[in-house]
Amino acid sequence: LARIDEILQVLEIDLVELARMARGGEGGPAELSVEQETVLARDERLLSVFWLLLNGWRFAEIVEEFAITRTELTLALAKFERARLIEWNAGERVRLRVAKDFVWRAGGPVKKAYGQRVTAEFLRSRFAGPLELLRFEARDLSVESAAVLRRRLERLLVEFGQLAEVDSTLPPRSREGVGLLVACRPWAFSVVNALKKRA
């Protein structure tokens, strides 16, 4: 067990995360606790630093690339450790104590504080760049086909996370922040609904 723990520390994962990966993520996506989200929702700088850690940035890289002092970053890491979001080891090494593929709680503190702002900022683009794509399609599907579509979109999100995990070992300057917005729901355009015969 001690040897396994050493290997997991090198890989920067713990037994809980390893077990979850082995199960294929059964039991639905992981969430932070309300208390953990509240810590992040109260301070956008804290949320920003946590996002960097989540994406594999190291202590020295954050201080070098961003407008944050070593003292400020140290205080932020202390808050994360108290909230059980990270494990802070010697040599300014940080290990996440939460699953990297967690989802923010629906109606939780972070979505309440930043949800509309994030969506508005994300959509404020012409989506004409080489790495950009925005398309909206609407079709009539059976309930069964709609369920298949949803499962495929969920698999896409898993693949997105896996690519990010592989690339997290690259130097920060070799990576680009990429946002992915995935959505599907029963829907009909209001002008089409207006054509429907009323009972």
Side-chain angles (χ1 to χ4, degrees):
L1 285 175
R3 182 64 176 153
I4 290 172
D5 190 53
E6 289 174 5
I7 294 169
L8 293 177
Q9 284 185 22
V10 170
L11 296 174
E12 297 186 359
I13 62 174
D14 58 23
L15 278 171
V16 174
E17 188 172 358
L18 180 65
R20 184 185 53 76
M21 291 165 62
R23 289 196 309 268
E26 290 175 10
E31 292 180 336
L32 303 185
S33 70
V34 173
E35 294 76 17
Q36 288 171 322
E37 280 205 17
T38 300
V39 168
L40 298 172
R42 284 184 185 145
D43 185 337
E44 63 184 50
R45 280 177 69 83
L46 271 183
L47 181 63
S48 299
V49 171
F50 184 68
W51 183 88
L52 292 172
L53 296 175
L54 199 61
N55 282 276
W57 287 74
R58 311 286 186 222
F59 189 102
E61 294 168 341
I62 294 172
V63 171
E64 181 181 343
E65 294 290 329
F66 296 92
I68 185 169
T69 66
R70 295 181 68 86
T71 301
E72 289 173 321
L73 185 52
T74 298
L75 291 172
L77 296 183
K79 289 180 181 178
F80 295 152
E81 189 167 47
R82 280 196 301 274
R84 301 181 59 81
L85 289 164
I86 65 165
E87 185 178 295
W88 192 10
N89 299 310
E92 298 171 337
R93 289 191 54 179
V94 172
R95 187 162 66 97
L96 292 172
R97 298 189 67 171
V98 298
K100 282 192 173 184
D101 60 347
F102 75 86
V103 296
W104 299 111
R105 291 174 170 271
V110 170
K111 282 197 173 180
K112 283 181 180 175
Y114 301 104
Q116 290 184 345
R117 177 174 160 190
V118 167
T119 303
E121 288 183 10
F122 181 78
L123 293 174
R124 197 179 304 138
S125 170
R126 295 190 314 120
F127 289 92
L131 298 179
E132 297 179 334
L133 172 68
L134 176 64
R135 287 184 57 184
F136 178 74
E137 301 288 340
R139 300 284 189 272
D140 285 350
L141 296 176
S142 67
V143 172
E144 293 78 15
S145 292
V148 169
L149 177 64
R150 175 178 168 153
R151 286 196 297 272
R152 289 183 179 176
L153 291 175
E154 288 171 343
R155 283 201 297 270
L156 174 63
L157 289 170
V158 170
E159 185 177 346
F160 182 64
Q162 290 170 342
L163 289 170
E165 183 67 24
V166 169
D167 289 350
S168 67
T169 59
L170 297 173
R173 293 184 185 200
S174 300
R175 294 181 277 150
E176 179 81 27
V178 175
L180 175 65
L181 178 66
V182 176
C184 66
R185 72 176 182 92
W187 181 85
F189 192 24
S190 58
V191 298
V192 175
N193 281 334
L195 292 177
K196 290 182 178 178
K197 290 183 178 178
R198 301 294 178 236

